[in-house]
Amino acid sequence: MLALVVDDSRAMRSIIKNIIKTEGFTFVEAGHGLEALAVLETGEVPDLALVDWNMPEMNGLEFVQAVRANERFNTMKILMVTTETEFEYMSRALEAGANEYLMKPFDRAALRGKLEMIGLIAPTEIQDNE
Amino acid sequence: MPLSAPDYQFLKNLVYKDSAIVLGDDHAYLLEARLGPLAQLEGVADVTALVRVLQKAADPALRRRVVETMTTNETSFFRDIQPFEVLKNTILPELVKKRATERSLRIWSGAASTGQEACSLAMTLLEHQRDVALGWDVQILGTDLSSRVVERAKSGLYSQLEVNRGLPAPMLMKHFTRSGVQWQTSSAVQRLVQYRVMNLAAAWPLMPQFDIIFLRNVLIYFDMDTRRAIFTRLRNCLRKDGVLFIGGAESIREADDAFECVRAGSTHYYRHKTQPTAGIG
């Protein structure tokens, strides 16, 4: 499976990539929404986009709106991964077409859980004492 | 100083005596990792020094803190999602039909930890059986050995890391409100759940007859005799057409043959063997 990681922080992209790599994803990346749209135009449609909110050039919400306006990307699941924790932001992201919403900071289990919720990976039982 | 074999044995015996939790021989690392911070809090150098304090004088409060520290509180909202899916799709619709006259449901989360499982059960009802959740006499009881985690569960307050784990964003928005840097369960959820301290391995208080019991990922810590005693009591407090969920990795066939296993997709649950074949599931 292919994931598009969109975040203006290289460190955050790295954290996300390290987690999803262990779930079998390969990835492409971008530092803001416009760059992410350019990546989408030239390559295959990813299965998943993990999208920050606050970025230069084009923010995450605008990116989601642009992507959802294009039928070519209908199959791509979108997970917002952002420091914005207000319900208003969650509502706007979900209404725009994001499939789920993850607040930073997060841990591996939380990201994994979100990927389960949007049907990209199979649920596994959490073992005690992990 | 690393924990010596006799000191590990002492702690293992203490935990077993007070909670019936069996620590394996390979759990020394876990014990040191968990009791190290407690030793610091108690003002002693390390776990070995903590053992000396415990050996020197009877201190029931310190013993309880040791046992509570060793209780595994791993949990998350909608942990291992499959049982909740089965509840939503199969068990609850059937139960609601059967209880239409008495309009009452009793549900028990028997290793509730900080309450995420009980809240998940409440949210499942509110989402998929809203009239029942709001109009029937519904009680979801969460119990745990640790008074510390029960107090946390009662608060209904969860951190961002906790609500990030397992809780879909629409559910967060619908069933929680912000409370500073934490999230507070809604009044609708709070009305459905109540919590109480309870040691599964000791004598049980008078329990109601439950329609649904979740007792997941706790039996693995008990020895065979304790499990057998627990299942005898479960048999008495599960309604004849009630259902019992245990952890996916746990098997109770070895401990009691009074229940039968019902496969449901990739998960399973148990019910009394004697119930009619037309029952739930």
Side-chain angles (χ1 to χ4, degrees), chain B residues 223-234:
Chain B
D223 62 19
M224 185 67 75
D225 287 343
T226 308
R227 278 188 223 178
R228 193 168 287 128
I230 288 172
F231 285 119
T232 301
R233 294 166 184 160
L234 283 172

Side-chain angles (χ1 to χ4, degrees), chain A:
Chain A
M1 283 187 292
L2 180 65
L4 167 61
V5 183
V6 192
D7 199 303
D8 58 340
S9 160
R10 186 176 295 176
M12 183 51 66
R13 292 203 301 270
S14 181
I15 289 168
I16 292 172
K17 286 187 302 188
N18 281 335
I19 295 176
I20 62 175
K21 204 159 57 177
T22 62
E23 302 300 336
F25 284 88
T26 55
F27 42 82
V28 287
E29 56 189 294
H32 53 75
L34 275 184
E35 194 182 342
L37 287 177
V39 170
L40 287 178
E41 286 306 320
T42 54
E44 64 176 290
V45 178
D47 302 282
L48 166 70
L50 303 108
V51 185
D52 185 20
W53 191 297
N54 298 303
M55 296 179 289
E57 307 291 336
M58 177 187 272
N59 71 32
L61 183 67
E62 291 164 340
F63 171 76
V64 174
Q65 289 165 337
V67 163
R68 287 301 183 230
N70 187 337
E71 283 186 1
R72 183 172 164 239
F73 305 119
N74 275 356
T75 57
M76 185 173 77
K77 301 286 176 68
I78 300 177
L79 173 60
M80 293 297 292
V81 186
T82 171
T83 52
E84 299 296 349
T85 59
E86 296 298 326
F87 286 163
E88 184 200 334
Y89 281 80
M90 290 180 206
S91 288
R92 289 167 67 193
L94 296 176
E95 278 165 20
N99 298 87
E100 256 298 338
Y101 196 99
L102 180 63
M103 294 175 286
K104 296 175 186 170
F106 58 88
D107 59 10
R108 176 183 292 274
L111 176 51
R112 208 185 179 289
K114 294 291 179 182
L115 298 182
E116 287 179 16
M117 282 174 214
I118 58 181
L120 286 176
I121 59 174
T124 54
E125 296 218 340
I126 302 165
Q127 295 301 313
D128 285 337
N129 302 331
E130 261 189 356

Side-chain angles (χ1 to χ4, degrees), chain B:
Chain B
M1 186 195 305
L3 202 57
S4 68
D7 285 348
Y8 177 64
Q9 193 60 43
F10 171 82
L11 288 168
K12 192 176 155 181
N13 290 345
L14 184 156
V15 170
Y16 180 75
K17 197 172 172 195
D18 289 11
S19 71
I21 291 171
V22 180
L23 295 173
D25 290 334
D26 56 348
H27 280 147
Y29 77 93
L30 181 68
L31 202 141
E32 287 206 71
R34 293 208 174 173
L35 294 185
L38 178 64
Q40 278 190 342
L41 278 175
E42 297 296 326
V44 295
D46 53 21
V47 180
T48 301
L50 187 68
V51 170
R52 295 295 162 273
V53 173
L54 286 160
Q55 287 171 331
K56 201 180 287 180
D59 183 345
L62 179 59
R63 284 179 74 103
R64 193 174 63 246
R65 285 196 291 279
V66 167
V67 171
E68 289 191 353
T69 304
M70 288 311 298
T71 308
T72 297
N73 295 316
E74 174 69 45
T75 187
S76 65
F77 291 102
F78 297 99
R79 181 180 180 181
D80 311 331
I81 185 70
Q82 291 306 323
F84 295 96
E85 292 290 318
V86 174
L87 267 191
K88 175 183 85 178
N89 296 328
T90 311
I91 292 169
L92 280 174
E94 289 280 337
L95 263 180
V96 166
K97 271 188 211 161
K98 289 182 173 188
R99 305 288 187 262
T101 307
E102 60 188 277
R103 294 168 63 84
S104 164
L105 278 182
R106 292 288 178 271
I107 302 173
W108 179 25
S109 167
S113 186
T114 40
Q116 283 91 329
E117 183 174 81
C119 290
S120 300
L121 291 162
M123 286 186 276
T124 301
L125 274 170
L126 285 163
E127 289 285 320
H128 304 288
Q129 298 289 343
R130 192 162 182 80
D131 292 346
V132 172
L134 299 179
W136 287 22
D137 173 21
V138 179
Q139 283 179 18
I140 300 168
L141 173 66
T143 64
D144 198 277
L145 172 68
S146 164
S147 56
R148 180 174 48 86
V149 299
V150 165
E151 285 309 309
R152 267 216 55 208
K154 281 180 179 172
S155 77
L157 285 167
Y158 295 94
S159 71
Q160 181 171 308
L161 283 174
E162 288 169 324
V163 298
N164 255 344
R165 292 185 72 181
L167 191 60
M171 292 250 207
L172 176 65
M173 289 189 282
K174 203 186 287 187
H175 300 293
F176 290 78
T177 54
R178 284 294 291 269
S179 176
V181 294
Q182 294 182 296
W183 275 262
Q184 173 80 61
T185 48
S186 67
S187 55
V189 170
Q190 286 173 41
R191 267 197 302 272
L192 291 173
V193 297
Q194 50 185 268
Y195 299 98
R196 152 191 334 164
V197 175
M198 178 177 163
N199 184 350
L200 290 167
W204 290 10
L206 186 62
M207 300 290 271
Q209 288 279 298
F210 291 104
D211 301 290
I212 299 166
I213 297 175
F214 270 49
L215 196 63
R216 303 190 301 158
N217 306 304
V218 64
L219 299 163
I220 47 173
Y221 298 106
F222 298 128
D223 62 19
M224 185 67 75
D225 287 343
T226 308
R227 278 188 223 178
R228 193 168 287 128
I230 288 172
F231 285 119
T232 301
R233 294 166 184 160
L234 283 172
R235 210 166 44 203
N236 293 332
C237 69
L238 180 68
R239 284 184 69 157
K240 288 300 170 203
D241 56 356
V243 297
L244 163 69
F245 283 90
I246 63 172
E250 296 169 311
S251 168
I252 63 167
R253 268 172 294 181
E254 60 189 351
D256 193 330
D257 59 4
F259 294 99
E260 65 180 0
C261 181
V262 181
R263 306 290 321 174
S266 59
T267 189
H268 61 275
Y269 59 88
Y270 291 85
R271 60 185 179 187
H272 287 285
K273 261 187 177 168
T274 50
Q275 80 176 78
T277 50
I280 292 166

